[in-house]
Amino acid sequence: MTRLIATLTATTVFASILVFAAQADEVHVLNWKGYGADEPWAVEAFEKATGNKVVNDFFNSEQEMLTKLRTNPGLYDVVMINAAFNDQAMSEKLIQPIDLSKIPNAADISPDKASSPMLNHDGKAYGVPWVWGLTALAINDKSFDTPPASISVMWDEARKGRVVIRDDAVEAIQFGAIATGQNINDIKDMDAVKAKLTSLMPQIRTFWSSENDWNQMVASNQIDVGTYWSGSADRAKTQFKLPVSLVIPQEGSVAWLDAFSIPVGSKNVAGAEAFINYMIDPKFYVEWVTKVGAPVSANEKAVAALPEESFNRKVMGDPEVAKRIQFQAPITDEQREKYLALWQELKVNVK
Amino acid sequence: MAGNIAAGPLSGIRPALPLLAPAYLWLTLAIFLPLSAMAFFSFMTDLPLSGKDWSFTIRNYAAFFSSGLYVTLLWSSLRLGLEVTLWCALIGFPAAYVLAKVLKGRSREAIFLLVILPFWSNGLVRIFSWAMVLREGGILDVVLNAILPFKISVDLMYSYPAVIIGLVHSYVPYMVLTCYLTLQAIDDSLIEAARSLGASRLQVLRRLIIPLAMPGLIAGAVLIFVPVVGSFMEPRILGGRTGTFYGTVIEDQFVAVFNWPLGAALSFILLAVVLVILAAASPVLRRAT
């Protein structure tokens, strides 16, 4: 028994020495899986250029991301946070102010995004805008001769059983707010949203939760239309060669902004700054869009480096589109719980 | 004999200890500790690791009763469990009978292997294979239309039957295995005696085989019913918009909204309900076994 304990202790000590030794030049990145930062070619190029080693870790929801930051102080150097959650992360002292002078590419970020009140607190930047995109509609090209213009296509009797929506309470309620002509960040008439979503339920084929779900259903021609993220629709078309097109309905759509932050206690702030700088670099962005498909970069020079006809430059850069979209603002925990209760009720009553 | 039994537990436990200890240590570590942590969480307002203030509350348990939502869900999950168990018995018992009483030698080994084959593949892989079979334009649809002279459209994907099919497929081996063990123990001469005394085949089945095989049927039913009531993977992937069950809502609390306390409370309510059902059924079960 003593020998066993001795062996175990030795192993633990040895392992922690290994971990400690390896930490010197590592950049620990926390992000969604398959979302740019873990592309093998990008990681390789960054490691070659800076000598830092990238260690990726992933989350499946914003709540999980916050929990990982809370429970592993000092582990992560870079974290990707939806701007709507930046405020919460800052007030819980999970992320630290960023010195933008150390990130040369930050100067090219479009001023409205760089100065977003969601990312800046007391004159300090807590997030570097990376990409933005929409939660809009995407269609199966095989099912439409001309793309629909209105969100009402989701309620079209002819599409019954061939419509999908994401299994996410906040997204679903905000989608309902747009369909009823309301402000997504200040929903006055919740009953109207509920009634609208109730009438949508019989149309639904299934609730999707990952990009893979959506793409498989289009590949096997099981759906016509559904809510989808703009970057994912682009990836479905570019990387997977699927007949998918993004539609920004005339009623508008939900927009989100993703930004990089540096957690409190990061052991490699210089490496983190270098990584963020690389992520917002035009060269990385163009390669990401061409090889994989991506949302729209917050860096104006990066978008300008895209071919003129590309979707992210032509459609997403269109001032007419800019007028229709509504950026997500932070949501309180009470609101989130209320949304979830409503969404679960809708899902249960459908049976 | 009596003295033997009385002395048994005391004198027998010491030499047995080295054999028992690893299993019990492991059970304590792997089941008791996490479970008691979850029981602890279920009475909290927030997880302590979230860095927020927390206190003890019974709010999470009250949430179950505050709306009809969770009760409805639990009811539909219990119904799902009953239906799946019934189908497993209907499919598994005859198969076990053939295995135990009809087949001999190599053919039995081969069929037996086929029965436990599903255990060797990953559960998620099995469900996704069903998704390929059941959908419109999927394998079942194409094959049926190739054989049948008329055109039919088979689209079972994202429906309640799809959930039943997926779950029955996953759990039927348990029923076959437990029934096989009890059926094999039935002495053939009993059946021959009944037949020679004039019992019909149906009578032999009803009055001899089923009662003797009852312990296996019940063990199988319990093994299937309990996990099916809490299942979430099959309903979520195969059920589509009809796939919201008690298990999927618990999963949402853990994965989507990170409300571990509520998820834990819902899990313990499920555990309590299942235990109550088993306890209520135990007189019947005891008589049968």
Side-chain angles (χ1 to χ4, degrees), chain B residues 148-165:
Chain B
L148 295 173
F150 49 89
K151 179 106 184 77
I152 55 162
S153 171
V154 181
D155 183 14
L156 285 170
M157 193 59 189
Y158 304 125
S159 66
Y160 188 66
V163 179
I164 300 268
I165 291 173

Side-chain angles (χ1 to χ4, degrees), chain A residues 48-59:
Chain A
K48 213 179 233 173
T50 64
N52 285 293
K53 196 180 172 323
V54 177
V55 182
N56 275 294
D57 193 6
F58 308 104
F59 57 82

Side-chain angles (χ1 to χ4, degrees), chain B residues 219-253:
Chain B
V222 171
L223 276 180
I224 293 165
F225 179 75
V226 175
V228 166
V229 173
S231 63
F232 58 90
M233 205 163 65
E234 291 87 352
R236 191 177 288 281
I237 296 170
L238 297 173
R241 69 189 178 93
T242 59
T244 309
F245 286 94
Y246 198 73
T248 61
V249 170
I250 294 179
E251 190 207 2
D252 278 343
Q253 296 302 337

Side-chain angles (χ1 to χ4, degrees), chain A residues 2-324:
Chain A
T2 359
R3 248 184 79 186
L4 182 72
I5 290 170
T7 320
L8 279 177
T9 325
T11 319
T12 323
V13 170
F14 187 61
S16 36
I17 290 172
L18 266 184
V19 169
F20 188 74
Q23 262 170 358
D25 287 300
E26 281 183 350
V27 181
H28 287 253
V29 181
L30 184 61
N31 190 3
W32 300 95
K33 196 168 170 56
Y35 197 38
D38 59 339
E39 292 294 336
W41 50 268
V43 169
E44 199 182 317
F46 172 76
E47 287 178 351
K48 213 179 233 173
T50 64
N52 285 293
K53 196 180 172 323
V54 177
V55 182
N56 275 294
D57 193 6
F58 308 104
F59 57 82
N60 290 307
S61 68
E62 272 93 4
Q63 274 70 26
E64 187 185 347
M65 176 266 298
L66 291 171
T67 306
K68 282 195 163 175
L69 289 181
R70 288 170 192 138
T71 49
N72 302 293
L75 175 60
Y76 301 108
D77 302 301
V78 176
V79 58
M80 203 296 297
I81 306 181
N82 180 327
F85 287 85
N86 190 283
D87 187 50
Q88 190 181 352
M90 194 240 16
S91 58
E92 284 188 35
K93 302 201 170 39
L94 296 172
I95 51 176
Q96 54 175 299
I98 302 170
D99 183 358
L100 291 177
S101 66
K102 301 267 181 60
I103 302 174
N105 285 326
D108 300 324
I109 291 171
S110 72
D112 61 313
K113 304 223 161 45
S115 62
S116 163
M118 289 194 282
L119 301 175
N120 294 282
H121 310 281
D122 306 325
K124 287 183 212 141
Y126 281 84
V128 181
W130 180 34
V131 286
W132 66 276
L134 302 175
T135 304
L137 300 182
I139 55 166
N140 177 352
D141 291 337
K142 286 186 190 156
S143 313
F144 290 88
D145 293 327
T146 47
S150 164
I151 208 166
S152 64
V153 66
M154 296 275 284
W155 281 265
D156 184 352
E157 194 65 30
R159 307 284 169 196
K160 191 166 184 167
R162 295 184 65 84
V163 175
V164 286
I165 187 167
R166 181 156 174 250
D167 191 2
D168 180 281
V170 175
E171 244 182 66
I173 306 291
Q174 292 186 337
F175 175 78
I178 286 189
T180 51
Q182 303 192 64
N183 181 344
I184 61 164
N185 297 316
D186 183 20
I187 304 173
K188 296 255 191 305
D189 189 354
M190 201 47 116
D191 290 337
V193 170
K194 190 179 172 183
K196 192 73 181 166
L197 289 177
T198 306
S199 64
L200 178 66
M201 285 296 157
Q203 297 281 106
I204 301 290
R205 179 162 182 90
T206 188
F207 306 104
W208 65 277
S209 52
S210 69
E211 260 184 57
N212 184 47
D213 292 349
W214 217 102
N215 294 345
Q216 283 203 347
M217 284 186 285
V218 166
S220 53
N221 200 24
Q222 298 186 77
I223 55 169
D224 291 341
V225 62
T227 60
Y228 210 15
W229 300 319
S230 57
S232 306
D234 192 21
R235 259 191 296 282
K237 213 183 181 93
T238 315
Q239 196 177 17
F240 301 109
K241 315 275 178 252
L242 291 170
V244 173
S245 299
L246 190 80
V247 172
I248 305 167
Q250 64 203 27
E251 290 85 353
S253 58
V254 176
W256 35 264
L257 175 63
D258 281 341
F260 280 114
S261 299
I262 302 180
V264 167
S266 158
K267 293 192 183 72
N268 188 1
V269 174
E273 287 161 350
F275 187 78
I276 296 172
N277 192 50
Y278 176 71
M279 279 286 120
I280 54 175
D281 195 84
K283 195 165 159 286
F284 162 77
Y285 180 66
V286 172
E287 204 169 345
W288 188 21
V289 172
T290 342
K291 277 190 183 160
V292 192
V296 191
S297 177
N299 183 339
E300 285 176 330
K301 281 204 180 144
V303 178
L306 290 178
E308 207 155 308
E309 282 308 296
S310 75
F311 182 83
N312 279 352
R313 187 167 163 194
K314 197 176 150 213
V315 182
M316 302 288 274
D318 185 351
E320 279 307 306
V321 168
K323 275 185 215 157
R324 295 210 296 266

Side-chain angles (χ1 to χ4, degrees), chain B residues 191 194-195 199-210:
Chain B
I191 299 172
R195 291 287 284 153
S200 70
R201 281 179 182 279
L202 200 66
Q203 273 175 317
V204 172
L205 179 72
R206 213 159 46 92
R207 306 212 18 207
L208 187 72
I209 297 175
I210 290 186

